[in-house]
Amino acid sequence: MADSKHMKRLKEILGAAADLNAASALLDWDMRTYMPPGSMESRSFQLASLEEAVHEKMTSRELGSLLRKLEGEIGKLDPDSDEYRLVKKVGRDYDREVKTPPSWVRRNAQAVARADTAWGKARAAADFRIFAPHLQNLLELKLEYISFFEPAEHPYDILLDRFDEGMSCAVLNRLFNRLKKDQGAIIRKALAQEKPDASFLKRKYPASKQLALTRRVLTRMGYDWNCGRQDRSVHPFTTSFGLYDVRITTKVVDGNPFSALFSSIHEGGHALYEQGIDKKYARTPFADGASFSIHESQSRLWENLVGRSPEFWAFWFPAVRKMFPGNLETVSPEEFLAALNVPEASPIRTEADELTYNMHIILRFQLEKSLIEGKMKVTELADAWNAGMKELLGIEVRNDVEGVLQDIHWAMGEFGYFPSYALGNVISAQLWDAALKQEPSIPDSIAHGNYAPLREWLRTHVHRFGAKYNTAEILARATGSPELDAGPYLNMLKEKYC
Ligand code: ZN
């Protein structure tokens, strides 16, 4: 069926907004890779102007009346059709935007800018008290934001919705309580075991060869270099400027010679998702991941379930041994794999392994929830953090930099973001289980360096839909059930570490 006049106009507006978003993503990519430091201030003006232009387009009176007309028209369409879904999605985003007053957006942006500076100072002094009044201010702004919307079952649900539509505090409580208990037991058992020898990882692994290895692996994964590229940055990330340009970055870490590889596999997982979205969704809001958690499930599936598996190294270990002569001649594949999977509890989230990572998220979720519920004061946060680290991972936090000040998320006013990381872990194992049930040959192909069967399964069941469906709908399509289930992830950890 041909698009109606209104649908055509809607797609024009969305296309123009997508172009502006792509332009600002390109400026942001440049800022984090090659921009000379002196142009920081002018770059932030450019980004702010583009953001404002998008905001104007997406909250315009024209779009509002167009959406009202289309709401009436789409009644005739299949509720699963792209057009029906598009109107619903844009309508939800429009509502959220217009309910947020411009005065709040301005005050919040100013508060974030001040908090960011204070966060830097607090880190330099390792003193949370410097940052606390700013966090208090951001928390009050979040509570005000929550008041703009219809009350949800839990006020935190309104914050979650921005990252994961339909996700709720109730679901997270259930899931995280199970992880706390069962994953906690696995962690205690794994950490008590004797550590394998990993001294050969301390030898010299030239950076240029580390990077060459990442390119070889990405190529085999199916990363499309014709519509992407890889550069270096302080923190590895993936970004896209539409569906035909999906870029990744990596970094080489001294003393950790396979960090560049694992971060590249991780970002490669994000990138394959974006590159696998059906091209008919280009320049629409569907040219994106289903949610932060589904996006993270893709990176973690490739990084942990593929990249840290014996099958993966059955293919790559001989090549790696050849690439770094003198380093691994006397090391067996089993010893090498064990060294890459040494369980370790770190106070720092970004350094945490697949075994302990979720505990870092559970701590942040509990604290955010207590703050939002008013059950805890910001001034009590650092002590509560340290007590939580002790309880969950047995770690004594030595100072606020390796404790409550370690993440930038709260300084950016991002509450409700953290859970998506843990959900990504849980979902990665659910998808992996489902893929292997339908395609039992996947591990054997991986052992031969062939990732096509896995990649194509993900493309068919997850990637191609882009943001047309939400987390629960993707899960239902791929696994047969919309429910989050910690079982597969816990089984994977048990098998590997116990
Ligand atoms: Zn990621």
Side-chain angles (χ1 to χ4, degrees), residues 266 270 296 299:
H266 180 103
H270 282 303
E296 199 59 16
S299 54

Side-chain angles (χ1 to χ4, degrees), residues 40-51:
M40 186 55 95
E41 201 185 332
S42 57
R43 182 56 50 88
S44 25
F45 280 119
Q46 295 152 3
L47 284 166
S49 295
L50 280 170
E51 198 180 317

Side-chain angles (χ1 to χ4, degrees), residues 29-205:
W29 169 86
D30 174 68
M31 183 172 81
R32 296 200 266 167
T33 49
Y34 297 112
M35 186 185 82
S39 58
M40 186 55 95
E41 201 185 332
S42 57
R43 182 56 50 88
S44 25
F45 280 119
Q46 295 152 3
L47 284 166
S49 295
L50 280 170
E51 198 180 317
E52 215 177 285
V54 173
H55 184 79
E56 261 167 39
K57 269 196 193 309
M58 299 310 287
T59 54
S60 71
R61 220 171 278 211
E62 186 198 0
L63 183 61
S65 83
L66 203 52
L67 283 166
R68 271 193 303 280
K69 286 174 197 146
L70 282 162
E71 271 291 341
E73 281 178 23
I74 59 168
K76 301 186 285 282
L77 296 177
D78 173 3
D80 194 43
S81 66
D82 288 345
E83 279 69 27
Y84 185 97
R85 289 289 184 136
L86 188 66
V87 171
K88 289 291 176 193
K89 184 174 176 61
V90 178
R92 262 196 314 274
D93 294 345
Y94 178 82
D95 272 347
R96 184 163 47 217
E97 291 293 312
V98 295
K99 279 184 181 147
T100 313
S103 67
W104 181 91
V105 174
R106 207 166 34 246
R107 281 185 290 129
N108 190 60
Q110 286 160 355
V112 165
R114 283 195 300 266
D116 187 56
T117 310
W119 179 71
K121 280 188 193 149
R123 279 173 64 86
D127 188 352
F128 174 67
R129 287 170 302 180
I130 298 171
F131 177 58
H134 297 274
L135 185 59
Q136 177 66 35
N137 192 14
L138 290 173
L139 175 65
E140 282 161 19
L141 281 157
K142 273 294 149 195
L143 294 172
E144 192 184 335
Y145 174 84
I146 289 169
S147 75
F148 301 144
F149 302 92
E150 295 283 319
E153 198 186 319
H154 191 287
Y156 193 80
D157 294 355
I158 292 169
L159 304 179
L160 275 175
D161 196 64
R162 284 179 52 229
F163 305 102
D164 215 321
E165 188 230 312
M167 192 52 65
S168 73
C169 213
V171 168
L172 292 182
N173 279 330
R174 263 200 310 280
L175 185 79
F176 287 172
N177 280 334
R178 172 149 187 224
L179 289 174
K180 205 168 151 179
K181 185 168 147 280
D182 295 349
Q183 192 172 341
I186 299 170
I187 291 170
R188 283 187 291 280
K189 216 167 150 189
L191 291 178
Q193 285 162 9
E194 205 183 319
K195 300 232 184 306
D197 175 31
S199 57
F200 47 85
L201 295 179
K202 298 290 162 221
R203 292 173 185 153
K204 193 154 171 37
Y205 294 79

Side-chain angles (χ1 to χ4, degrees), residues 236-238 266-267 270 292 295-297 299-300 303 417 421:
F237 65 94
T238 303
H266 180 103
E267 301 309 329
H270 282 303
F292 279 57
H295 228 306
E296 199 59 16
S297 78
S299 54
R300 305 224 168 202
E303 180 189 355
Y417 186 127
Y421 294 116

